[in-house]
């Protein structure tokens, strides 16, 4: 059986914990980024897990059933076609999931470039910062090639009393990812700090 493939945009930054969790769950995760940033606890290359498992002569490796991997590819949001080409090669097939936190200035071009890499019906989880003033969901949102996929939107910090922590962001995005992968209908999820 082939492992599920995930494309995570922003996965070496604020979404590194999401990429790590997906790999731990058995996903092959592709992480396009300008700079190499290994994901802690995730094998990064061929033979890494085997070498780590071989401790002494005669030792038998104990490999967990769900072992995914994280694959970094050099890419820049300002060159979306090149980003998509590099990610497509690393994926080795259509992605079963897209998780994206892309700067608004690059969002439309990058998402349009990577949308063809997704398998038919593959869910997408898009992370966005809450606008400074309340808006109607979808108002002013440009059309995207992702409109052919179930898109779950994670809205960070709508009217927050304080900034969200990295752990709170990862927890909120992973909750949306799990609902998306389970086939839940597309929805918008607010991630806010817990009440004081």
């Amino acid at each position: 059986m082939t492992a599920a493939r995930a494309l995570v945009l922003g996965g070496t930054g604020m979404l590194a914990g999401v990429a790590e969790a997906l790999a731990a769950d058995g996903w092959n995760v592709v992480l396009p980024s300008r700079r190499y940033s290994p994901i802690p606890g995730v094998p990064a290359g061929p033979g890494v897990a085997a070498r780590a498992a071989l401790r002494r002569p005669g030792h038998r490796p104990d490999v967990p059933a769900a072992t995914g991997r994280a694959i970094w590819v050099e890419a820049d949001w300002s060159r979306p076609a090149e980003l998509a080409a590099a990610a497509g090669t690393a994926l080795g097939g259509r992605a079963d999931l897209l998780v994206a936190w892309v700067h608004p200035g690059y969002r439309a071009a990058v998402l349009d470039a990577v949308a063809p890499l997704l398998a038919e019906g593959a869910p997408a989880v898009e992370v966005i910062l809450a606008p400074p003033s309340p808006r109607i969901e979808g108002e002013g949102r440009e059309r995207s090639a992702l409109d052919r996929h179930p898109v779950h939107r994670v809205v960070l910090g709508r009217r927050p009393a304080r900034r969200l922590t990295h752990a709170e962001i990862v927890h909120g995005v992973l909750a949306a990812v799990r609902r998306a992968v389970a086939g839940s209908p597309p929805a918008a999820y607010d991630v806010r700090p817990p009440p004081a």
Side-chain angles (χ1 to χ4, degrees):
M1 181 173 141
T2 303
R5 298 177 184 101
L7 176 59
V8 181
L9 304 174
T12 60
M14 290 300 287
L15 296 180
V18 173
E20 182 178 0
L22 286 169
D25 285 347
W27 289 77
N28 286 334
V29 182
V30 173
L31 305 161
S33 173
R34 285 181 296 188
R35 289 177 289 282
Y36 176 69
S37 180
I39 303 299
V42 178
V48 173
R51 285 192 303 275
L54 296 174
R55 308 247 189 279
R56 62 188 187 300
H59 173 76
R60 300 180 89 149
D62 181 19
V63 180
T67 53
R69 60 188 179 136
I71 304 165
W72 172 78
V73 293
E74 186 173 4
D76 193 313
W77 292 350
S78 66
R79 297 190 302 274
E82 292 174 25
L83 182 150
T89 300
L91 281 166
R94 300 281 183 194
D96 303 297
L97 171 67
L98 169 67
V99 182
W101 189 353
V102 180
H103 186 279
Y106 299 104
R107 179 193 171 277
V110 169
L111 294 181
D112 285 347
V114 301
L117 301 177
L118 299 177
E120 185 175 332
V125 176
E126 185 179 11
V127 182
I128 58 174
L129 294 175
S133 60
R135 288 186 359 194
I136 298 170
E137 181 62 32
E139 175 188 318
R141 187 177 70 82
E142 65 272 13
R143 305 258 330 139
S144 153
L146 290 182
D147 289 343
R148 291 177 287 211
H149 295 272
V151 178
H152 297 251
R153 288 194 171 75
V154 177
V155 182
L156 300 177
R158 198 183 307 255
R159 296 182 298 277
R162 63 168 175 76
R163 288 183 182 215
L164 292 165
T165 67
H166 185 246
E168 290 166 341
I169 292 169
V170 168
H171 177 77
V173 174
L174 275 175
V177 165
R178 293 201 185 346
R179 288 188 289 256
V181 169
S184 296
Y189 310 99
D190 280 337
V191 177
R192 301 178 190 175

